[in-house]
Amino acid sequence: MMAAKHNAEYEASELYKIRHSAAHVMAEAVLEKFPNGKVAIGPAIADGFYYDFDLPRTLTPEDLDEIENRMKEIIKGKFDFTRKAVTAAEAKSVFADQPYKLELIEGLEKGGLDEDGNPTDEKPEISLYYQNNFVDLCRGPHVANTGEINPKAIKLMNVSGAYWRGDEKRPMLQRIYGTAFEKPEELKEYLWKLEEAKKRDHRKLGKELDLFSISEEVGQGLILWHPKGAKIRKLIENFWSEEHEKWGYDFVFTPHIGKSQLWETSGHLGFYNENMYSPIDIEGTKYYIKPMNCPFHLYIYKSNTRSYRDLPIRYAEEGTVYRYERSGVLHGLTRVRGFTQDDAHHFCRPDQMPGEIDFTVEFSLHMLHSFGFQQIQAYLSTKPEKSVGDPERWAAAEAALEASLKRHNLPYEVDAGGGAFYGPKIDFKVNDAIGREWQLSTIQFDFNEPERFDINYIGEDGQPNRPYMIHRALLGSLERFFGVLIEHYGGAFPSWLAPIQAELIPIADRHVDYANEVAAQLKREGIRVHVDSRSDRMNAKIRDAQKQKVPYMLVIGDKEMENGEVALRKRSGENPGPMKINEFVALCKDEVARKI
């Protein structure tokens, strides 16, 4: 629902009209170059536009340059975009030599598809848009004329393959992606972000910094954590555990597999089966590898009679789960098949529920801020048309979620009807260092599982009462969160998270023994260090340490060895110079304590 709302706002914007119009101009330029080419669809999308073509040969980068230059010439012609409503027969006549358009027109005749081939409940009016020497089957909207597209604010990006209608049994087309903005400065900023995103790509940096790998022999979507990456993960886990203990959680551990009866009770075999792996036969009983941790937490809750005095109960677990993802959607650390979720489940009385939401919101913000995320946007998803649970509890939960967001002065949007069938939720999305939005924390009510597992507490009335159950993930999964962290920091982790905090660089072989003594002293102080004892030149060692994004480089020569010092150079480019070892320890610990 929220995506639909944003789409409606975007489609009504001037930018959407510019991009949609630019797609038509691009198609005109392509058909001028390839008169016998066949055109498919060409919509505006979130970051620009694309158009699919069936062409006599594969396009080259030089072709894109030529097409883009021709687009700018057409734009300068200030040709009007003219709409004309037509019958299906008239449309077929216009596109008699365009098989993909004819197929779309036939879909329009039957109803159920629009001009872009998207499902629709209505039988839309068929309309054409003309500009200069080009006509397209299109519902619009467009700018008044091509001159309203800024020729200095458009760019063709790349070409990729795309099956017609997304069906691998249909023809493979060439999809040209482009983008357009209202102002050249906006295009410049967008292109900068794209380049910066390439530099920050966690898959690229993961290899360069030796953090993790994925092996075809092991399996797609399964992460191998290398020592440096594992060190960072351990630091994240240690902080996670320490903070959860401070905030009053109880830790639990649960199995990786469960009997089929468990997943039947939870409903996963009914509504989530396609995301689960095939069962394992153990002595004639089917077991499934777990896609979620919550059913186990419910059985821990059920293992004893609970009193109203026992609540709230908060169970936390870093639980590894496995979900079937198709190979085409797997993406480094951010879309995997096995991942460890920082799960927690809260069980509370109705009178405790609003306070429990406040608690969870505050803890979520504390954790996100601790990892350097300051820009946080909340999204509140409310009751959908089909749902389970007491309507009064739905209303109370939604009111508590929204009230908490207001009390914490958090910017938020309401996704009306966008909640899961089993309860409303809040999602927290963070902006990274280059402004991209990532969804991390979720606070999710569940009115389904407590009923399915029949969990209760004995109230003051001496009768069984149903508690509120709240799912909560702060980081999401450690794999995805680590990928986001890599891209947010560009691999240059703050000193408290850096796998190696200090690289000791002896200038000559005679300085290595002293460097090892300093390293031992720093390790006793809890500082993570490495001695570069290679015979390479000092500048090469410094350059390598900078490439590995080590926060502190400690250069050691004759003077430093004589004075019991180290010469500090920072990753940031600062060069404080010689200092006593205890001075460096104090500086390092101060920055670690402040998480910088």
Side-chain angles (χ1 to χ4, degrees):
M1 294 292 183
M2 182 165 56
K5 174 187 173 185
H6 286 307
N7 286 343
E9 291 175 355
Y10 177 42
E11 289 183 17
S13 70
E14 191 64 24
L15 182 58
Y16 180 89
K17 294 177 185 178
I18 289 170
R19 288 172 171 172
H20 196 175
S21 303
H24 282 219
V25 172
M26 179 175 72
E28 179 180 354
V30 170
L31 288 185
E32 283 184 3
K33 184 174 179 62
F34 301 99
N36 295 321
K38 309 303 178 187
V39 291
I41 58 173
I45 55 176
D47 292 324
F49 58 88
Y50 70 79
Y51 213 118
D52 291 345
F53 300 94
D54 192 341
L55 302 174
R57 65 170 175 81
T58 302
L59 293 169
T60 66
E62 292 73 25
D63 289 326
L64 288 194
D65 291 339
E66 184 181 334
I67 293 165
E68 185 179 308
N69 289 334
R70 177 56 186 145
M71 286 176 67
K72 292 176 180 179
E73 292 174 2
I74 296 170
I75 288 168
K76 291 175 183 176
K78 297 183 179 180
F79 301 108
D80 290 339
F81 282 91
T82 306
R83 182 182 185 275
K84 182 181 179 182
V86 297
T87 65
E90 289 171 326
K92 287 179 179 179
S93 175
V94 171
F95 295 104
D97 62 343
Q98 292 289 339
Y100 303 105
K101 295 296 183 186
L102 290 175
E103 185 176 326
L104 291 172
I105 294 166
E106 288 172 2
L108 290 170
E109 282 185 288
K110 296 174 185 176
L113 295 175
D114 63 16
E115 290 90 336
D116 290 333
N118 300 315
T120 177
D121 295 330
E122 302 175 0
K123 190 172 182 179
E125 180 182 51
I126 299 176
S127 60
L128 310 180
Y129 269 88
Y130 292 81
Q131 100 268 354
N132 193 25
N133 298 315
F134 181 73
V135 59
D136 205 354
L137 180 71
C138 181
R139 62 191 169 97
H142 289 282
V143 295
N145 66 71
T146 60
E148 293 186 21
I149 305 168
N150 191 325
K152 295 181 179 179
I154 64 167
K155 184 169 182 59
L156 298 188
M157 306 300 295
N158 55 61
V159 181
S160 68
Y163 289 110
W164 170 234
R165 305 298 273 272
D167 185 344
E168 61 185 15
K169 297 179 181 178
R170 306 296 300 276
M172 172 67 81
L173 306 178
Q174 294 188 73
R175 176 170 292 178
I176 303 178
Y177 283 98
T179 193
F181 291 87
E182 295 183 51
K183 300 174 182 178
E185 310 88 77
E186 294 170 333
L187 173 62
K188 184 178 180 181
E189 181 182 3
Y190 174 74
L191 296 176
W192 173 82
K193 282 187 177 181
L194 287 182
E195 285 304 310
E196 192 64 21
K198 287 180 185 176
K199 295 176 188 175
R200 292 169 179 263
D201 189 320
H202 73 276
R203 296 166 300 175
K204 171 178 172 288
L205 289 173
K207 184 175 182 179
E208 291 176 0
L209 301 178
D210 195 23
L211 301 175
F212 71 93
S213 63
I214 300 169
S215 167
E216 284 295 323
E217 287 74 19
V218 172
Q220 289 184 310
L222 303 173
I223 306 303
L224 299 173
W225 294 78
H226 294 201
K228 287 183 182 178
K231 171 58 73 175
I232 299 171
R233 172 173 173 156
K234 188 64 177 174
L235 291 165
I236 293 169
E237 289 178 332
N238 289 348
F239 179 73
W240 185 92
S241 298
E242 289 165 6
E243 294 306 303
H244 276 71
E245 199 145 14
K246 289 177 188 174
W247 285 67
Y249 282 85
D250 291 315
F251 297 119
V252 297
F253 294 93
T254 59
H256 286 251
I257 60 173
K259 291 170 68 173
S260 60
Q261 181 182 342
L262 173 70
W263 306 109
E264 288 166 5
T265 302
S266 69
H268 285 94
L269 281 180
F271 66 82
Y272 203 72
N273 188 44
E274 64 181 21
N275 296 102
M276 296 173 66
Y277 288 99
S278 299
I280 306 164
D281 186 282
I282 301 177
E283 298 178 344
T285 300
K286 289 182 179 178
Y287 284 73
Y288 287 84
I289 192 164
K290 65 177 177 180
M292 295 183 185
N293 300 302
C294 35
F296 299 97
H297 291 198
L298 283 155
Y299 269 105
I300 293 173
Y301 180 92
K302 279 174 65 82
S303 65
N304 281 302
T305 301
R306 308 294 176 180
S307 163
Y308 70 93
R309 293 188 179 90
D310 298 327
L311 304 183
I313 289 173
R314 302 167 187 146
Y315 294 143
E317 176 182 19
E318 291 178 310
T320 301
V321 298
Y322 301 87
R323 299 178 188 174
Y324 171 59
E325 298 280 5
R326 286 172 171 76
S327 57
V329 301
L330 297 174
H331 185 81
L333 291 166
T334 58
R335 197 75 179 263
V336 295
R337 287 176 170 161
F339 56 92
T340 301
Q341 207 162 27
D342 71 317
D343 248 341
H345 293 90
H346 296 219
F347 303 91
C348 64
R349 305 189 309 259
D351 62 294
Q352 296 171 325
M353 183 268 288
E356 204 65 10
I357 295 301
D358 275 346
F359 170 93
T360 311
V361 168
E362 287 168 16
F363 191 34
S364 298
L365 296 176
H366 166 69
M367 292 292 284
L368 295 176
H369 289 154
S370 295
F371 285 99
F373 297 108
Q374 301 303 322
Q375 288 183 279
I376 301 171
Q377 171 79 30
Y379 296 88
L380 170 61
S381 300
T382 61
K383 187 177 181 182
E385 287 185 15
K386 295 182 179 180
S387 62
V388 298
D390 181 353
E392 290 186 8
R393 287 205 163 198
W394 270 89
E398 289 176 1
L401 291 170
E402 187 160 20
S404 187
L405 293 175
K406 289 178 178 177
R407 277 192 292 275
H408 289 88
N409 296 313
L410 279 168
Y412 71 95
E413 293 183 19
V414 177
D415 179 11
F421 75 91
Y422 50 83
K425 67 173 180 172
I426 293 172
D427 288 319
F428 287 127
K429 297 187 180 181
V430 302
N431 280 11
D432 69 9
I434 59 174
R436 295 171 301 177
E437 195 173 64
W438 301 86
Q439 197 273 313
L440 293 180
S441 305
T442 297
I443 302 168
Q444 170 80 64
F445 278 90
D446 191 332
F447 300 127
N448 183 47
E449 300 288 77
E451 296 289 335
R452 284 180 168 272
F453 287 89
D454 191 27
I455 64 167
N456 296 290
Y457 65 91
I458 304 303
E460 290 183 85
D461 57 3
Q463 300 300 314
N465 288 261
R466 189 81 73 208
Y468 275 91
M469 176 178 171
I470 303 165
H471 298 270
R472 186 241 64 193
L474 298 180
L475 310 181
S477 78
L478 290 177
E479 286 75 7
R480 185 171 182 276
F481 183 70
F482 187 39
V484 173
L485 273 185
I486 293 171
E487 300 208 7
H488 177 55
Y489 287 112
F493 297 101
S495 56
W496 76 281
L497 281 175
I500 297 174
Q501 294 170 314
E503 184 80 5
L504 276 75
I505 301 174
I507 295 175
D509 289 348
R510 64 180 178 277
H511 305 127
V512 171
D513 288 345
Y514 174 67
N516 286 327
E517 291 174 16
V518 173
Q521 186 174 341
L522 296 179
K523 286 177 182 177
R524 287 194 293 272
E525 296 289 345
I527 296 172
R528 299 182 292 278
V529 301
H530 176 259
V531 177
D532 188 343
S533 57
R534 296 175 301 166
S535 298
D536 287 358
R537 292 168 50 248
M538 178 189 73
N539 288 340
K541 294 180 182 181
I542 291 172
R543 185 172 61 250
D544 287 346
Q546 288 172 331
K547 285 181 179 178
Q548 289 298 302
K549 303 182 188 294
V550 178
Y552 312 111
M553 287 154 276
L554 306 178
V555 180
I556 294 172
D558 291 337
K559 184 177 178 182
E560 288 75 26
M561 194 163 64
E562 290 169 11
N563 297 331
E565 296 177 333
V566 291
L568 173 63
R569 299 170 66 109
K570 288 191 173 185
R571 175 178 62 195
S572 62
E574 296 176 68
N575 190 4
M579 61 177 61
K580 296 294 184 183
I581 295 167
N582 61 348
E583 292 176 324
F584 170 70
V585 170
L587 180 150
C588 183
K589 287 187 174 182
D590 176 61
E591 293 195 352
V592 166
R594 290 186 287 129
K595 294 193 165 38
I596 60 174

